Amino acid sequence: MRVVGIATISVDGRITPPGEEGTPFSSPETRQNFVSEIRSAGATVSGRRTYDGVKQMMIAMLSQANTDAVSVVLTRDPQKHRDPSLPKQIEFTDRSPRELIQDLDRRGMKRVLIAGGGEIYAAFAAESLIDEWIVVIEPILLGGGRPLFAFETEQQLRLVASSRLNDSTMLLRYEVLR
């Protein structure tokens, strides 16, 4: 199984503007790329705040898809967020990153996207569970907001591909060196 971190950041490494949730600075091309990556993954993992920001898009995609793909939301209180009206592919859990990855591997997932936020990225990176990073850099300096990682963690990377999503937005793919 391949575990891929996917993030959209500002030039100064922020995933959200000060006082906001989500990435309202994402270009249409970035959003299109994100949807494409989600559709190619067996599972997407996010924190509850990130999920709240993409909930309607995720529900629409999973409701329309004839797929076994799942969206797993990490939260401290899974029972609070469960809703029978949601598609069955949306799961809420408080498992550790390692337990979750082991479970998804047992379920036969080939590719798992770690889609944020900063606490989730840092938790999976700290346990060396991420194999690859897809980082989209949007042409904006925020000067504040949430950083890519909520706490210190270090990974050595090797650039494997780069491309422009538009005139000013770059997509970078990195392999995590172990």
Side-chain angles (χ1 to χ4, degrees):
M1 177 172 62
R2 188 127 177 104
V3 180
V4 180
I6 184 168
T8 300
I9 63 171
S10 63
V11 172
D12 54 348
R14 302 299 175 160
I15 58 174
T16 65
E20 293 186 40
E21 296 297 331
T23 52
F25 55 87
S26 292
S27 65
E29 296 86 356
T30 297
R31 289 190 290 278
Q32 182 179 18
N33 179 74
F34 184 70
V35 168
S36 175
E37 293 290 346
I38 288 174
R39 287 190 172 137
S40 73
T44 303
V45 177
S46 65
R48 199 251 332 132
R49 283 190 304 258
T50 299
Y51 167 75
D52 285 348
V54 298
K55 179 179 179 178
Q56 295 310 317
M57 176 191 70
M58 193 63 68
I59 289 171
M61 280 180 43
L62 292 171
S63 296
Q64 295 170 0
N66 185 13
T67 179
D68 293 327
V70 297
S71 175
V72 181
V73 181
L74 290 173
T75 177
R76 290 176 184 87
D77 189 359
Q79 295 300 329
K80 178 180 174 183
H81 300 285
R82 288 200 174 101
D83 180 347
S85 69
L86 294 175
K88 65 180 171 39
Q89 302 101 314
I90 298 177
E91 303 173 8
F92 295 87
T93 186
D94 59 0
R95 287 179 281 183
S96 74
R98 187 164 304 283
E99 291 171 326
L100 178 56
I101 292 299
Q102 289 170 342
D103 177 55
L104 293 171
D105 191 34
R106 278 192 297 275
R107 290 161 63 177
M109 299 296 167
K110 302 286 185 239
R111 187 166 187 257
V112 176
L113 289 182
I114 308 303
E119 290 180 35
I120 303 304
Y121 293 135
F124 280 81
E127 291 197 41
S128 298
L129 296 171
I130 297 178
D131 303 304
E132 174 186 348
W133 280 97
I134 299 170
V135 180
V136 175
I137 303 173
E138 290 288 356
I140 186 169
L141 293 166
L142 296 173
R146 293 184 193 275
L148 180 59
F149 294 117
F151 55 86
E152 288 185 29
T153 185
E154 182 177 315
Q155 292 187 309
Q156 296 295 314
L157 307 174
R158 181 177 69 84
L159 182 65
V160 295
S162 63
S163 60
R164 288 181 181 263
L165 294 181
N166 61 38
D167 288 342
S168 300
T169 302
M170 290 297 300
L171 183 145
L172 306 171
R173 288 184 182 268
Y174 292 96
E175 173 187 357
V176 175
L177 303 176
R178 301 203 196 262

